[in-house]
Amino acid sequence: MKVAILAGGFGTRLAEETEIRPKPLVEIGGKPILWHIMKIYDHYGFKNFVVALGYKGEYIKRYMVDYCSLSSDLTVDLRTGDVLSHGGEAPEWQVELIDTGQRTNTGGRIKRLAPYPGNEPFMLTWGDGVSDIAPRELLAFHRSHGKLITLPAARPPARFGSLDIDSDGRVAKFTEKPQIGEGWINGAFFVCEPGIFDYIAGDATQFEREPLEALAADGQLMAYQHHGFWQCMDTLRDKYLLNNLWDSGKAPWKTWKD
C-alpha cells in the first residue's frame, strides 16, 4: 500500500526555517520531520512512499538521493571516483518524488498523485506532523466501514495551563497544558479510497474545504478517534516542543527501535 505525503507547501508560519529549506526537512533531533513520519509508517510495514513536491522540492530530492551516503561510512577512490558505502542505515523504502507545482493547493497535489496508488486504497498525510497513531489499526477501522475516507480525530495538547476557578476566585484545580477536553481536530493521517479523487476539482482546490465537506455530506467520511499523542510543526514553538521531547528520550511518536 502506498503512503502519500504532501511536502510542497511554503510553510510561511515557520519562515525562520523555511526560507532556507522546505518545511518537511526542518529537523527534529537532527533528522527531518519527513524522516520521522516515514519511520512511523515503516514501523508498521508501510515502505512505499509517494511524496508530492512543490516549494524547494529539489532539496527533498537531493536528501533522498544522498540518504544512504549521508547515513553511512564511505570509502572514496579519488582516482576512479568510485564510492563505496558501508554500515549506517539503509531502510527498505521505495520513494517516488513527484513535482506537483509551486502553488498547487493541497487538493490539487493529491489529485496529481492519482496515477500512483492506481485503483488501490492508500495512506495520506501531511509532511509536518507526528503522532503515536498505529496505521495498521487505522487501516483495520477503515476496512470495517467501507466508506471512501477515514481521518483520525485528534485532541492536541492545549497551549496553556487549565484553571478551574471557584466563585470566590480560588483556583480549585490547575492542570498544566492538558489535552483539550472538547472538540476534535483533523489529525491528517488518512486512509483513502481512489474514489476521493472525484471530489477534487483541480489545482486550486483546498482538500480541507470542498472535498472533505462534500465527502462528509455524502456520508463517506469516517473519523477514527485517536486519544494518544498528535502534534504538528507549524511554528518555532512547535519545533522546540518536538525537539525537547526527542532530546528527553520520551518522544511519543518514536515507536521504532534504533
Side-chain angles (χ1 to χ4, degrees):
M1 180 179 286
K2 299 275 189 181
V3 178
I5 303 176
L6 299 195
F10 288 97
T12 53
R13 285 180 288 183
L14 197 58
E16 300 89 345
E17 290 278 354
T18 56
E19 284 183 356
I20 59 173
R21 75 191 82 186
K23 191 177 181 183
L25 291 188
V26 175
E27 293 184 348
I28 302 170
K31 293 283 191 179
I33 190 170
L34 178 61
W35 176 87
H36 290 261
I37 294 166
M38 296 170 78
K39 289 288 284 186
I40 292 168
Y41 282 105
D42 176 59
H43 177 69
Y44 290 94
F46 299 95
K47 300 178 184 292
N48 294 318
F49 301 92
V50 54
V51 183
L53 305 178
Y55 174 70
K56 295 188 181 296
E58 66 275 14
Y59 287 67
I60 297 176
K61 288 181 179 179
R62 190 175 302 121
Y63 174 78
M64 290 298 173
V65 168
D66 293 340
Y67 184 92
C68 290
S69 295
L70 295 173
S71 303
S72 63
D73 296 329
L74 300 177
T75 300
V76 182
D77 188 326
L78 297 180
R79 294 170 298 174
T80 64
D82 293 339
V83 179
L84 175 66
S85 61
H86 44 93
E89 181 189 13
E92 298 177 359
W93 298 346
Q94 179 175 312
V95 186
E96 296 172 279
L97 302 164
I98 311 303
D99 185 0
T100 57
Q102 285 286 313
R103 298 191 175 276
T104 308
N105 217 323
T106 50
R109 295 194 193 281
I110 295 167
K111 183 97 169 181
R112 291 198 186 198
L113 297 182
Y116 297 94
N119 293 320
E120 300 296 324
F122 61 98
M123 300 282 184
L124 169 67
T125 192
W126 302 168
D128 65 353
V130 289
S131 174
D132 62 357
I133 195 166
R136 286 286 176 193
E137 294 179 10
L138 187 64
L139 178 59
F141 173 79
H142 176 77
R143 286 174 170 164
S144 74
H145 60 65
K147 305 299 183 182
L148 288 180
I149 184 168
T150 296
L151 65 78
R155 282 177 167 160
R159 289 192 62 186
F160 307 104
S162 173
L163 302 177
D164 290 342
I165 304 174
D166 289 344
S167 58
D168 62 358
R170 183 180 65 88
V171 176
K173 182 180 180 181
F174 176 85
T175 306
E176 174 62 12
K177 297 179 181 177
Q179 204 75 359
I180 295 173
E182 296 183 6
W184 295 85
I185 66 166
N186 171 16
F189 281 77
F190 304 93
V191 185
C192 307
E193 299 294 327
I196 71 160
F197 296 122
D198 296 334
Y199 285 80
I200 303 171
D203 281 358
T205 304
Q206 185 177 348
F207 188 63
E208 304 89 319
R209 298 297 298 273
E210 291 89 351
L212 287 184
E213 290 169 2
L215 284 159
D218 290 349
Q220 293 294 329
L221 175 61
M222 297 291 288
Y224 174 87
Q225 293 184 340
H226 176 60
H227 296 273
F229 178 84
W230 178 92
Q231 179 65 54
C232 64
M233 187 172 63
D234 275 343
T235 65
L236 275 179
R237 177 191 174 276
D238 298 331
K239 177 195 169 186
Y240 296 146
L241 169 65
L242 292 170
N243 270 285
N244 288 338
L245 285 170
W246 185 265
D247 292 343
S248 74
K250 299 177 181 179
W253 69 91
K254 188 182 181 298
T255 52
W256 62 91
K257 294 182 180 180
D258 294 327

